[in-house]
Amino acid sequence: MLNERELIDKLRKNHTLSRDEWIRLIRNRDDDSAQYLFAAAREIRHAVYGDMVYIRGLIEISSYCKNDCYYCGIRRSNRCAQRYRLSREEILGCVDTGYDLGFRTFVLQGGEDPFYTDNVLCSIIQNIKDNYPDCAVTLSLGERSKESYRCLFEAGADRYLLRHETASERHYAVLHPPELQLSNRKECLYTLKRIGYQTGSGFMVGSPGQTAENLAEDMLFLKELNPQMVGIGPFIPHKDTPFGNQPAGTVELTLFMLGLLRLMLPNALLPATTALGTLDPEGREKGILAGANVVMPNLSPAAVRKKYLLYNNKLCTGDEAAESIQRLKERFASIGCRIVTDRGDFRQLI
Ligand code: SAM
């Protein structure tokens, strides 16, 4: 039987492992295997993307959501959540600010808010593209119909982020109410890819009830989907949700999963997420050192940032804020990486 280092070598060479091998590697991980993994992940990231870290300006357009995911602070049943939605002018204002700061990708993220019809969104996307043809627009607005995804793509959206959250049916039902189905989530992801979006999926690490078997399922599903982007971050409880008293996921396991993802999908765009930075002041640097190559500073108007509260203590005004881009550049330079002013499209090199 292969030991952990040998499993990592095998993953690096074949970009895949069997279900049992994933489980064994995740369960038996220790500091030695983690350091070995991160060194390999950095080498591969360097081979594909050099020293470049891409920045995406995150604009949180709405804290209204029609869904009721048990983990999420903006779920519809949270009566304490502060709700807001940004107007077209406010969103375009964020893009203007971001462009001046050097951003060339804008991520429009929000709860599933029926206010943002296809017409409303298409006109916002077209406006961004007319004003800044050199920029990419990424959407992260949850599950929509095939027709809607197509219409937004035709309006100019380039990328779509939709985490599958967990690839196990049973675990999906622990995290979501019955009206939300993993099969629909997966169908949306395949549709997005077919339409031509650069597609991102991902999962929370350490969400309630998650096992090493579930994480193995996540890796097998991601291998099959073969997305261009994968967003993972630790689960962090929000006090006004059913999971308010559950323990948070760990930085340690999140970093290990990031390293594994870099070896499995060498070309993928992997963000070091805000959730990682929330649990550890150096979480984003650690994410980059484990194989990530994207950061998504917050470009939302300062007045609403505290209202998009997915989990307790979410960072929103420190170095993760877009205004602190210079400070972020210095922090990444200290670990040998360079933040670039670039759309940062997916590259298929390996
Ligand atoms: N509504 C869109 C969707 O469902 O994809 C985008 C917004 S949703 C709030 C963005 C992501 O936040 C989710 O995919 C989920 O993984 C993450 N998230 C929500 N609650 C979280 C929590 N308590 N801890 C960590 N991440 C969380």
Side-chain angles (χ1 to χ4, degrees), residues 276-311:
L276 200 51
T278 296
L279 287 189
D280 181 334
E282 293 185 351
R284 297 211 289 195
E285 284 91 333
K286 289 180 183 172
I288 301 292
L289 290 170
N293 63 336
V294 173
V295 273
M296 298 168 63
N298 197 325
L299 265 182
S300 308
V304 304
R305 279 187 202 166
K306 287 208 167 76
K307 299 183 184 169
Y308 195 79
L309 205 59
L310 306 182
Y311 43 80

Side-chain angles (χ1 to χ4, degrees), residues 2-47:
L2 300 180
N3 66 29
E4 284 72 56
R5 280 185 174 230
E6 288 164 341
L7 283 173
I8 291 168
D9 290 339
K10 181 174 177 187
L11 173 61
R12 179 181 186 153
K13 182 160 166 266
N14 300 343
H15 308 299
T16 188
L17 291 178
S18 70
R19 186 175 188 277
D20 283 353
E21 287 170 332
W22 280 122
I23 295 172
R24 202 145 42 80
L25 185 51
I26 293 167
R27 270 216 191 110
N28 297 341
R29 71 186 188 282
D30 57 13
D31 191 50
D32 174 73
S33 52
Q35 295 314 321
Y36 189 72
L37 170 67
F38 299 155
R42 285 195 296 272
E43 253 180 56
I44 292 182
R45 188 200 57 211
H46 198 266

Side-chain angles (χ1 to χ4, degrees), residues 1 5 40 99 125 128 135 148 154 182-183 207 227 252 257 260 295 297 301 305 308:
M1 207 159 59
R5 280 185 174 230
Y99 192 88
I125 295 164
I128 298 175
C135 288
S148 171
E154 282 164 6
L182 177 60
S183 52
S207 58
E252 178 270 322
M257 296 310 299
L260 295 179
V295 273
R305 279 187 202 166
Y308 195 79

Side-chain angles (χ1 to χ4, degrees), residues 109-144:
Q109 190 186 81
E112 290 193 21
D113 178 355
F115 171 84
Y116 294 94
T117 59
D118 292 347
N119 280 344
V120 170
L121 286 172
C122 284
S123 113
I124 294 170
I125 295 164
Q126 276 156 0
N127 267 289
I128 298 175
K129 289 295 209 169
D130 286 348
N131 296 349
Y132 300 109
D134 54 336
C135 288
V137 171
T138 304
L139 303 177
S140 177
L141 300 169
E143 297 175 22
R144 301 178 76 94

Side-chain angles (χ1 to χ4, degrees), residues 226-257:
N226 193 23
Q228 285 88 2
M229 306 171 280
V230 183
I232 66 165
F235 159 75
I236 304 176
H238 183 295
K239 63 180 176 41
D240 300 318
T241 64
F243 292 152
N245 292 322
Q246 296 286 326
T250 64
V251 170
E252 178 270 322
L253 180 54
T254 307
L255 296 175
F256 196 79
M257 296 310 299

